[in-house]
Amino acid sequence: MKKILHFFEQIETTDNQKSFEAFTRCKGNILLGAKKDLPNIIGTLILIVILIMLYLIFIFPAALDYQYNTLAIIIAIFCILPILTFLNVTMTEPGVLLRGDLPDPKLQQQQQLIQELEQTSLSNQNILEEQIQRNGQNQILLITESQNQMEQNIELPSIYKVRYCSTCKIMRPSKASHCKFCDHCVDGFDHHCFWVGNCIGIRNQRAFLLFLQSSLIVIILTLCQCSLNLYNQYFDIQELWLLMFKQASIPIIAIYGLYFFCGCWAQQSYLNVIILMFMFILPIIYSAILINIEEAYKNYRYYDNPFITILITIIVLICFCFLLQVNILNCYYISLGKTVKQVKSEDQFYLNKQSIIKPKQSVSKVFRNLWHFYTYPIPISRNK
Ligand SMILES: [Zn+2]
Ligand SMILES: [Zn+2]
C-alpha cells in the first residue's frame, strides 16, 4: 500500500500533458470534451438551440396572445438552463488519472523470480524452478502486497479492486475505470456519453444529472404550454389528433412505440440517433402535407395554426420520452449510490458467485445516497 501511495505522489509532479491528450484544449486549461466528439457536441448544441427557437417562434407568441404570460416568460428564461448545464458537463474535466510508468507488477514479479533463479546456487535452483512452474500453472496473480490482500482476503466485484492499467501504466484505484474511447483512466468512471462528448466521471457526474434534469423540466413546462395553446386553438383536440393520424397513424405509432420500449437498450448507440431522426422527420412531412390539404388552416397566422402547434407538440413529446427514460435510469443509479460501471461489475460478480447474496437497499439509504450525490465536494482536477 505504501508503495502505491508513494507512486501516486511521484506521478503528480511528472509531465501530465499525455494524460489529457483526448481533450480539445483551449489556452491549455479549458477542455471542450473529447476531440473525436466535437461534431457530436456541436450537434447536440444545435439540437437544443433548434428546440428553443421552435418554442420562441411558434409557441411563445401564441401563449402571449392567450394570456399565459407568466408561464411563457418562465419557460423562455428556463430555456437557458439546458445550454448552461450542457456546457458545464462538456467543459468539466471528468477526473482523469495521470499516466505513469509503473511496470506491470505481474511481469515484474516473474522477472524478479528469474533473476533470483540466476543468482542462487545450483542447490537452490530446483526449488525456485518448481516455484515458477507452480506460479505459471495456477496463474496466481501475485501483484503488489495490497492487491494480494484485496484479492485473497476480501471477495469484491472487480471494479472495487486496485488494478493495474496496462495502457496508462498505473495502479488505478477502486471505482476508477479506463475509457476505451478517450484512452485514459477516469476516477469514478460512469460511462462515455456521446451526446455531451465527454467521459462522465467523479468530477462531472453531478453536472451531467443536472443537465438531464433541467432539460426534462423545461420540456415538461413546454409540453404544458403546447397543450394550453392547443386547447385555445382547437377545442376538439381529439378530432384534430384523429385528423392528423388518419392516414399515417400506424407507422408513426409503431415507430414511437418501438422507440419507447427499445430506447433504454439502444441508449448509447447510433441506432438511437437514426430512430430519433426518423421520429422527427415523419411528423414534419406528414403535417406539411396536411397543412396543404386542409383548406381551412391555410389562412391562420404562422403561430396560430393548430397543425403547427400539434407538430411542435409531437417534437416536444419525443424529447420528453427520451429524456424521461434517461432521467429515470440515471436517478435509479444515483439512488443506489453507484455508477453504471459499478452496477454492471456487481451484477457480473453476483452472477458468478451465486453463494453470496446481494445486499438489499433500504429506503433511508436511498435518501442518504441522493443527498450525498448532490452535496459531495468535487475533487480538484489533476490538469494543472
Ligand atoms: Zn487506463
Ligand atoms: Zn471518454
Side-chain angles (χ1 to χ4, degrees):
M1 197 65 201
K2 269 182 190 168
K3 268 184 198 169
I4 296 167
L5 284 174
H6 178 66
F7 176 72
F8 275 115
E9 277 165 18
Q10 231 177 14
I11 58 163
E12 294 289 341
T13 55
T14 59
D15 176 42
N16 62 33
Q17 289 288 311
K18 217 169 176 294
S19 310
F20 298 89
E21 253 179 358
F23 291 110
T24 316
R25 279 167 167 275
C26 182
K27 289 177 186 171
N29 261 330
I30 305 161
L31 311 158
L32 190 71
K35 273 181 208 160
K36 287 183 209 164
D37 269 347
L38 204 59
N40 299 28
I41 296 168
I42 295 164
T44 311
L45 209 56
I46 290 172
L47 192 72
I48 298 172
V49 172
I50 287 175
L51 284 168
I52 294 172
M53 293 311 282
L54 282 178
Y55 171 76
L56 291 177
I57 295 168
F58 296 105
I59 306 297
F60 186 73
L64 293 183
D65 266 12
Y66 308 134
Q67 304 295 312
Y68 298 123
N69 300 12
T70 319
L71 183 61
I73 291 164
I74 286 173
I75 298 170
I77 295 167
F78 268 43
C79 278
I80 201 79
L81 278 179
I83 295 182
L84 290 179
T85 47
F86 174 79
L87 289 176
N88 191 15
V89 189
T90 306
M91 293 168 82
T92 307
E93 186 264 296
V96 174
L97 294 167
L98 298 182
R99 278 170 188 254
D101 48 11
L102 189 78
D104 193 341
K106 206 161 66 180
L107 279 173
Q108 213 181 16
Q109 185 86 24
Q110 277 179 350
Q111 275 172 353
Q112 240 173 28
L113 277 169
I114 291 164
Q115 270 177 7
E116 276 171 40
L117 184 79
E118 283 168 354
Q119 281 163 7
T120 48
S121 62
L122 279 165
S123 57
N124 287 334
Q125 205 167 337
N126 290 340
I127 306 162
L128 274 160
E129 262 179 357
E130 260 177 46
Q131 207 177 337
I132 289 176
Q133 263 187 343
R134 235 183 296 139
N135 258 354
Q137 279 165 1
N138 300 336
Q139 286 181 323
I140 301 167
L141 304 172
L142 297 163
I143 299 176
T144 60
E145 272 177 55
S146 71
Q147 203 181 7
N148 202 3
Q149 275 177 351
M150 285 271 232
E151 285 188 7
Q152 290 191 345
N153 300 340
I154 317 157
E155 289 270 27
L156 277 174
S158 63
I159 190 99
Y160 300 117
K161 288 175 187 169
V162 177
R163 289 164 302 161
Y164 179 72
C165 176
S166 54
T167 315
C168 304
K169 299 206 171 6
I170 53 164
M171 291 302 296
R172 58 164 170 245
S174 162
K175 295 173 188 178
S177 210
H178 190 86
C179 176
K180 282 180 205 146
F181 189 81
C182 303
D183 208 25
H184 53 215
C185 275
V186 179
D187 206 357
F189 184 66
D190 188 86
H191 70 290
H192 183 93
C193 181
F194 292 94
W195 293 91
V196 301
N198 203 352
C199 319
I200 307 301
I202 196 156
R203 295 193 74 249
N204 65 354
Q205 205 192 357
R206 191 193 297 160
F208 179 65
L209 252 287
L210 289 176
F211 165 60
L212 292 180
Q213 286 163 349
S214 64
S215 306
L216 185 68
I217 290 168
V218 175
I219 284 290
I220 290 172
L221 288 175
T222 313
L223 204 58
C224 294
Q225 185 66 76
C226 287
S227 313
L228 288 170
N229 282 12
L230 268 178
Y231 174 74
N232 276 275
Q233 284 162 352
Y234 203 98
F235 288 97
D236 200 346
I237 290 170
Q238 205 182 354
E239 196 186 310
L240 189 72
W241 274 96
L242 286 173
L243 199 66
M244 182 93 185
F245 284 105
K246 75 180 169 195
Q247 281 164 21
S249 60
I250 294 164
I252 288 180
I253 290 168
I255 286 176
Y256 289 158
L258 195 76
Y259 180 73
F260 195 77
F261 288 111
C262 305
C264 275
W265 161 73
Q267 219 184 83
Q268 290 298 326
S269 70
Y270 284 103
L271 181 69
N272 189 277
V273 182
I274 294 163
I275 298 171
L276 263 181
M277 278 170 71
F278 253 110
M279 290 166 72
F280 274 108
I281 292 164
L282 265 180
I284 293 171
I285 297 168
Y286 188 60
S287 42
I289 295 165
L290 266 180
I291 289 166
N292 285 316
I293 292 170
E294 301 293 324
E295 280 292 323
Y297 297 107
K298 275 187 177 173
N299 302 323
Y300 275 98
R301 270 179 296 175
Y302 74 96
Y303 59 81
D304 264 348
N305 194 324
F307 277 110
I308 290 177
T309 314
I310 210 159
L311 172 67
I312 310 241
T313 312
I314 291 171
I315 293 171
V316 173
L317 210 60
I318 298 165
C319 297
F320 171 75
C321 290
F322 176 70
L323 283 169
L324 186 71
Q325 42 139 333
V326 176
N327 265 284
I328 289 172
L329 207 67
N330 281 283
C331 286
Y332 168 70
Y333 288 137
I334 62 161
S335 74
L336 295 176
K338 283 160 196 161
T339 61
V340 177
K341 268 269 170 188
Q342 287 169 37
V343 173
K344 278 184 188 164
S345 178
E346 280 187 26
D347 285 348
Q348 193 62 42
F349 175 77
Y350 288 112
L351 199 75
N352 292 338
K353 313 238 173 212
Q354 283 174 343
S355 55
I356 304 169
I357 301 155
K358 202 175 175 178
K360 284 215 169 109
Q361 194 85 345
S362 66
V363 181
S364 62
K365 190 85 194 290
V366 167
F367 283 109
R368 244 180 295 153
N369 286 337
L370 289 172
W371 176 256
H372 175 255
F373 182 81
Y374 287 105
T375 54
Y376 79 88
I378 290 169
I380 300 159
S381 172
R382 292 170 178 86
N383 178 39
K384 285 278 178 283

